Amino acid sequence: MHDVLDPDSDRGRVYRLLVSHPHESAARLAARAGLSETDVRTVLEELADENVVVTTASEAADASWEAAPPTQVVEALLQRDDALRTALRQTGTELERLYRSARRDAGHYSALEVVEGPARMLAVSRQLQKAARQQIRVIDVPPYSGTADHYLTQETLQRERMAAGVVYRAIYHGSAFDDPIAWPNMARMIEAGEQARTLDDPPMKLAICDSDLAVVTLAADDHSGVMSLLIRPSSLFQALSNVFESLWRLAVPVSAAGIGTQIDARDRQILTLMASGATDDAIARHLGVGRRTVVRRVSSLLNRLGATTRFQAGVQAARRGWL
């Protein structure tokens, strides 16, 4: 539903047109948006199901459409995000309960196994990756305690698995890009084909192998260091899988290019105008430059930010302190 506010998406384009052109027909919206009438009607039906737009007579060919107030739409988005956070907290509470139960007696929950000790935890990580047939999903959060040799070993293994057709999808904590040991490895993996996204504050350290095994890494309660929980197919495994997919949809794509670099004043102006919803023509007029120049610089900025839309570019730029 977030794409309703994205001016580069079809849904966002149709909604913005209705905001500025009330009581418009699908045919006129299609002409204004540069889309087919069939596509526009499909978008309108989707938005109507989400209470983002309403129609006067859905069965009439000349029915007019109206946008829901933007404040109402934004509030619905915020409530949805709150619901996701609540679900994450509930999952964390359940995981904590199972963790404590497992430490008393691992036999209480057959889908869960406690793993302690750096060597054993590293072996489990390698086993998980080698067993993957389709994909590995990872949420990586600090602290990053691995040595340079550890990351090189992991890089070799990941390259082998990706060459065998295994897809790696990783969600990184924003601070990962500031780690002098971990980040170079992450950048090389992204360049090699890893699908990477970033999120301000992921709730846990997690790795999932296909639909077979999940590993959650937690701080140990009774001593310093960390421990891992192996979770086999179960309701908890499914909950963790759902958490990953929900966070993946909220996270912003990231590329290895441009991380940690700065931009000049002109590009900062362009990003600021993009984030406000300005078109290429409007940006060109505001800056007093040609439209082709704006198009070229916008394309370069999207590439550097690893973004596919202007909305994603604005989020990424803000997270990197460019705005």
Side-chain angles (χ1 to χ4, degrees), residues 244-259:
F244 178 91
E245 295 302 332
S246 296
L247 294 176
W248 182 259
R249 288 190 291 271
L250 291 175
V252 177
V254 59
S255 72
I259 297 298

Side-chain angles (χ1 to χ4, degrees), residues 128-194:
L128 179 143
Q129 295 178 73
K130 289 182 176 180
R133 301 177 302 279
Q134 296 176 327
Q135 70 169 332
I136 295 290
R137 293 173 286 174
V138 175
I139 300 176
D140 200 10
V141 299
Y144 302 110
S145 55
T147 64
D149 288 342
H150 162 76
Y151 287 114
L152 288 175
T153 300
Q154 166 58 30
E155 181 178 334
T156 300
L157 175 58
Q158 184 169 335
R159 288 183 184 277
E160 291 175 354
R161 300 308 297 140
M162 289 195 296
V166 176
V167 174
Y168 276 71
R169 288 196 288 154
I171 299 173
Y172 292 112
H173 192 284
S175 65
F177 308 123
D178 299 322
D179 189 278
I181 297 179
W183 166 241
N185 165 263
M186 297 174 190
R188 288 192 295 270
M189 291 298 90
I190 294 170
E191 290 174 344
E194 176 184 280

